[in-house]
């Protein structure tokens, strides 16, 4: 008995009534297109804050693959604690966006871009802002100021 190859993507037929045309749509691709549009719109909104040095990117990395499941469930707790820490030091978070990225070794890591009302630091990252000291036990973090759009 011969096995049929698995279909990689399911297609959806979309009928546009105004144009009276049918289209084959890949739901995974359409999700990526929607996500990229949202991220582009968010980046345009945030652009004025980049010149004022108020946009930062925080990277959360998981050190060991066996910790990935716990790190995924712990991500929300981390962000809540980190944002409370910022508010405690007098900063207001105006918006944030995060993206999940898969590394070659099979572990996810997250890029979190956030906007605050004024610059967090001028030259060196202060110790209270280094999140891997006590908030992220699953690996390490890095925070950088975004200087270009």
């Amino acid at each position: 008995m011969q096995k049929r190859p698995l279909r990689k993507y399911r297609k959806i037929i979309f009928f546009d009534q105004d144009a009276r045309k049918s289209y084959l749509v890949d739901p995974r691709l359409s999700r990526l297109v929607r996500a990229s549009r949202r991220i582009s719109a968010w980046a345009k909104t945030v652009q004025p804050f980049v010149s004022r040095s108020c946009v930062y990117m925080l990277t959360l990395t998981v050190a060991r693959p066996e910790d990935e499941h716990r790190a995924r469930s712990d991500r929300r707790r981390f962000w809540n604690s980190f944002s409370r820490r910022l508010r405690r030091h007098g900063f207001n978070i105006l918006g944030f966006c995060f993206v999940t990225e898969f590394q070659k070794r099979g572990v996810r890591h997250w890029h979190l871009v956030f906007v605050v009302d004024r610059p967090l630091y001028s030259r060196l990252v202060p110790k209270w802002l280094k999140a891997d000291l006590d908030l992220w036990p699953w690996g390490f973090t890095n925070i950088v100021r975004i200087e270009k759009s």
Side-chain angles (χ1 to χ4, degrees):
M1 186 167 104
Q2 190 176 16
K3 290 184 178 180
R4 288 189 304 175
L6 294 174
R7 293 178 69 181
K8 194 169 186 177
Y9 301 107
R10 286 188 319 196
K11 304 287 184 190
I12 295 175
I13 297 174
F14 172 72
F15 182 71
D16 185 0
Q17 291 181 348
D18 296 334
R20 296 182 184 262
K21 287 186 177 182
S22 296
Y23 301 98
L24 278 175
V25 178
D26 183 355
R28 293 180 188 174
L29 180 62
S30 63
R31 273 189 227 131
L32 290 175
V33 169
R34 279 195 313 268
S36 111
R37 282 187 196 145
R38 287 183 190 137
I39 291 171
S40 297
W42 193 79
K44 286 178 186 174
T45 305
V46 168
Q47 181 59 38
F49 295 98
V50 172
S51 60
R52 294 189 338 205
S53 300
C54 296
V55 182
Y56 296 87
M57 182 175 75
L58 177 67
T59 306
L60 302 175
T61 305
V62 179
R64 299 181 316 189
E66 57 268 14
D67 291 337
E68 182 190 4
H69 180 70
R70 285 180 282 178
R72 273 192 301 164
S73 62
D74 206 22
R75 189 182 65 215
R76 179 173 293 197
R77 183 204 57 82
F78 167 80
W79 175 247
N80 290 338
S81 301
F82 186 74
S83 60
R84 270 195 307 265
R85 182 181 283 187
L86 288 175
R87 283 194 299 273
R88 211 173 326 145
H89 283 86
F91 295 95
N92 292 324
I93 298 173
L94 304 176
F96 68 94
C97 173
F98 76 90
V99 176
T100 303
E101 186 178 284
F102 290 92
Q103 296 178 333
K104 287 183 181 178
R105 60 190 176 107
V107 179
R108 299 172 195 201
H109 77 273
W110 297 276
H111 297 277
L112 195 131
V113 177
F114 62 97
V115 183
V116 289
D117 56 349
R118 58 193 163 91
L120 289 174
Y121 58 90
S122 58
R123 296 183 75 189
L124 296 174
V125 180
K127 284 192 175 186
W128 65 266
L129 194 56
K130 294 183 179 178
D132 53 355
L133 294 176
D134 56 346
L135 295 179
W136 188 251
W138 311 116
F140 55 92
T141 64
N142 186 22
I143 187 166
V144 293
R145 181 183 311 128
I146 295 179
E147 298 184 10
K148 293 182 181 178
S149 168

